[in-house]
Amino acid sequence: MPKPIPYADRAAVNRATRIVADVYQIFRPLIFHPHRGGPGVAMARQLSQYLAHTSGQVPIARLARIYRRHMSTITFAVSKVEDLRDDPEFDALVTTLEEKFNAVA
């Protein structure tokens, strides 16, 4: 039986998904849906995974369990967001998300 996911990790994921869902104006449970969803939902999911991992310091393995995805999928999402930060507009968006995440904590 797998170990329970620590409360702090669940709280970080909830905070990240709440912030991203508000910015993208999507129904929050869609981020956890087992199917990809449209491009907006997929990007919101990737951003919430990135935010939970980088700002919330949730390990990739735990994110994979919470989001019900393979660890390589979470790693890909984090890498993709990091690559997209080369675009100044996208970087500004991610910086805003990080500030909101850290302000809530």
Side-chain angles (χ1 to χ4, degrees), residues 19-78:
I19 291 166
V20 173
D22 286 347
V23 168
Y24 273 75
Q25 297 182 342
I26 62 169
F27 186 51
R28 190 169 157 255
L30 288 175
I31 293 175
F32 294 103
H33 198 273
H35 299 290
R36 182 178 184 272
V41 174
M43 179 52 68
R45 181 180 304 112
Q46 291 171 337
L47 277 168
S48 69
Q49 293 166 349
Y50 174 84
L51 200 58
H53 179 63
T54 59
S55 294
Q57 301 189 349
V58 180
I60 297 282
R62 288 195 192 128
L63 287 174
R65 286 182 54 205
I66 293 169
Y67 284 94
R68 295 178 302 183
R69 300 288 193 276
H70 193 272
M71 287 191 330
S72 65
T73 303
I74 306 295
T75 302
F76 174 80
V78 170

